Amino acid sequence: MSPSPGDHPGRTIPEWMDTENLQGRLYYMFLRAKPGHTLPKNPFVIGRSVEEYAGKVEGGFYEKRKSWYVVKIRSKDQGRKLFTLTALKDGTPIEIGRHPELNTRKFVVFCNEVEDMTDKQLEEELASQKITNVRRITKKIAGKIVNTPTLVLTINCTVIPEFINFGLLRVRTRPYYPQPMLCRRCLTYGHPKIRCQNEIACNICSSNHESQNCTSKVKFCQNCKQNHSPTDRACPIWMFESAALKLKTEQKITLTAARKQIERNSTNSSYADVVKRQIQAHNNIARKTQPVKKAPQPEDPEKKEDQQQQQQPTKPISIRDHLTAEPKTSVPVLESDSPPRKRTTSQPTPPVTVENVEDKNLHTVDDNCTILTRARAARMQTYPHSSTLPKS
């Protein structure tokens, strides 16, 4: 079982503030009854027995069908006290020890310089950094197994370090996502081959016979009911289990909770349908958008003429031309209507002489119907650009 959600494996407060060293890294200890006994059903008995003996701890939870009780602590002093606890308050004999699985973490490193070293040599060199196991990722090239610079390291700690030192080289760590557990005997998920009690299955047609004796030309997967091998990595069930394990590692939840969370995001609870939708959505996001080239279509001659007319530069029309231009109407003229009249501009009329006045007081009329005396009109002709005229 994985740690409960919300666990923070690192120190909760800075070390200089934790004078009693009670908020350090998270550790897990198991508590179980001795053979022939069972743990009490009342959880308060276990809680009071642990806290009265070792003080207040981080928490706890049941495991392995409630045959184990896992205690979370953050102080090494509490761990030393719990090692000496032999019985609960109700007299149930118990034994306490360090949890064999929850106190270790796996991560991945990439280092070309140690590609020729063996796993045992690396374990000896990295033992001072609490590395307990080294597993190298290999690949097969032309029928030969070749080492790769990728290593899977196991550290005896609940906190994954940011760097690992290979001599004086500092190598950054990356998270490790486990692969789905596919039985190589019955080709089903959830258990390894050494614990399988089912009949053997063919990795080509999924029938109950050896793969070497298979005569089928069509592949069939018994897990997703599709036409491919049960060991194919493109199988929807394989991809669903991989996504669930990744979610379990990132959010530190159980595998069952990770599966339910993935199924909850879909209306259909089928493994294959859920994974198909997730793969399709991922591909749509990851695919680079490229402009779609449309096939050339025959051009419409009428549309082409309209476009050419719109593209032609239009000559600006002055106000005078606009007034003298003939109006263009798209509405047909009725027979009863009179033909449109042409608008003509009026020519300036010559000055009109006003009669019935004396000669010295004769007046003239200009374009603006302004009555001017003859003397003033003469002066205007003499000084055409003058705004002020001398008085007569």
Side-chain angles (χ1 to χ4, degrees):
M1 182 177 179
S2 299
S4 57
D7 287 345
H8 188 271
R11 178 178 288 275
T12 57
I13 60 176
E15 187 175 1
W16 61 273
M17 296 178 62
D18 189 13
T19 57
E20 297 181 0
N21 198 18
L22 298 177
Q23 301 296 329
R25 293 180 178 179
L26 189 64
Y27 294 95
Y28 297 89
M29 300 185 68
F30 73 88
L31 184 152
R32 63 186 178 186
K34 289 186 177 182
H37 300 271
T38 57
L39 292 176
K41 189 177 181 179
N42 188 353
F44 295 100
V45 175
I46 301 176
R48 278 194 290 266
S49 301
V50 171
E51 291 188 347
E52 289 181 3
Y53 202 84
K56 189 174 182 180
V57 297
E58 185 74 10
F61 55 90
Y62 285 101
E63 194 182 39
K64 296 184 178 181
R65 297 181 180 181
K66 296 187 177 182
S67 62
W68 282 30
Y69 192 86
V70 181
V71 182
K72 299 184 291 184
I73 60 174
R74 291 189 177 273
S75 173
K76 294 183 179 180
D77 294 336
Q78 291 179 339
R80 297 189 189 97
K81 293 179 181 179
L82 289 176
F83 276 125
T84 60
L85 181 62
T86 57
L88 299 177
K89 292 181 68 64
D90 62 349
T92 303
I94 60 171
E95 55 184 2
I96 296 180
R98 184 184 178 88
H99 200 284
E101 299 175 359
L102 300 183
N103 289 307
T104 59
R105 292 289 183 270
K106 289 184 179 181
F107 57 93
V108 180
V109 294
F110 186 88
C111 186
N112 286 315
E113 288 73 14
V114 297
E115 191 172 357
D116 298 333
M117 297 181 64
T118 62
D119 296 350
K120 291 184 178 180
Q121 291 176 348
L122 290 173
E123 289 180 6
E124 294 177 356
E125 296 291 344
L126 299 175
S128 59
Q129 302 180 56
K130 299 183 179 180
I131 302 299
T132 59
N133 186 27
V134 177
R135 180 170 63 89
R136 184 183 297 275
I137 303 297
T138 59
K139 61 181 178 181
K140 185 179 290 187
I141 300 177
K144 296 182 180 180
I145 298 178
V146 180
N147 291 339
T148 64
T150 305
L151 303 173
V152 180
L153 306 182
T154 303
I155 188 170
N156 188 17
C157 183
T158 57
V159 180
I160 297 177
E162 186 177 359
F163 297 95
I164 285 292
N165 296 324
F166 287 83
L168 298 180
L169 298 177
R170 297 187 69 190
V171 180
R172 185 179 295 274
T173 62
R174 295 181 294 176
Y176 168 74
Y177 301 115
Q179 297 295 325
M181 188 180 295
L182 177 64
C183 178
R184 296 296 175 177
R185 176 180 171 82
C186 66
L187 300 178
T188 57
Y189 293 89
H191 62 272
K193 180 179 179 180
I194 57 176
R195 298 181 182 178
C196 181
Q197 299 178 358
N198 302 327
E199 296 182 1
I200 192 172
C202 175
N203 58 9
I204 299 175
C205 63
S206 300
S207 300
N208 296 328
H209 59 258
E210 293 286 347
S211 302
Q212 300 175 356
N213 303 329
C214 183
T215 59
S216 177
K217 297 182 180 179
V218 179
K219 297 181 180 181
F220 180 75
C221 177
Q222 62 181 356
N223 297 315
C224 66
K225 312 302 180 185
Q226 295 184 10
N227 295 331
H228 59 78
S229 174
T231 59
D232 192 353
R233 295 294 180 90
C235 176
I237 305 301
W238 175 278
M239 302 185 74
F240 179 88
E241 292 293 328
S242 299
L245 288 170
K246 184 176 181 180
L247 187 64
K248 170 197 170 187
T249 305
E250 292 177 350
Q251 298 188 5
K252 299 179 182 179
I253 58 178
T254 61
L255 184 59
T256 303
R259 289 170 179 166
K260 290 181 179 180
Q261 185 172 343
I262 296 176
E263 293 175 2
R264 198 180 303 116
N265 297 333
S266 175
T267 56
N268 193 348
S269 60
S270 173
Y271 282 5
D273 294 339
V274 171
V275 175
K276 283 180 182 178
R277 280 189 289 271
Q278 290 187 348
I279 295 172
Q280 185 177 3
H282 176 73
N283 293 338
N284 292 338
I285 296 174
R287 189 185 301 114
K288 295 181 179 180
T289 58
Q290 297 180 356
V292 180
K293 296 183 179 179
K294 296 183 179 180
Q297 298 180 356
E299 296 183 355
D300 190 357
E302 295 181 359
K303 293 183 178 179
K304 189 174 182 180
E305 291 179 1
D306 296 342
Q307 293 178 359
Q308 291 178 358
Q309 292 178 1
Q310 293 177 2
Q311 292 177 359
Q312 290 179 358
T314 58
K315 184 179 180 180
I317 302 175
S318 61
I319 299 176
R320 179 172 298 178
D321 295 338
H322 175 72
L323 295 175
T324 57
E326 296 183 1
K328 296 181 180 181
T329 57
S330 59
V331 181
V333 180
L334 300 178
E335 295 180 358
S336 60
D337 295 340
S338 59
R341 296 180 179 178
K342 294 185 178 180
R343 188 172 182 179
T344 59
T345 57
S346 59
Q347 297 295 332
T349 58
V352 180
T353 304
V354 181
E355 299 179 353
N356 301 329
V357 294
E358 298 179 359
D359 292 343
K360 62 177 180 180
N361 294 328
L362 287 179
H363 294 75
T364 58
V365 181
D366 64 355
D367 297 342
N368 299 326
C369 299
T370 305
I371 300 175
L372 302 174
T373 62
R374 289 181 177 178
R376 189 172 181 83
R379 281 195 297 272
M380 289 179 63
Q381 293 179 1
T382 306
Y383 306 99
H385 302 288
S386 178
S387 58
T388 60
L389 297 175
K391 296 182 180 181
S392 56

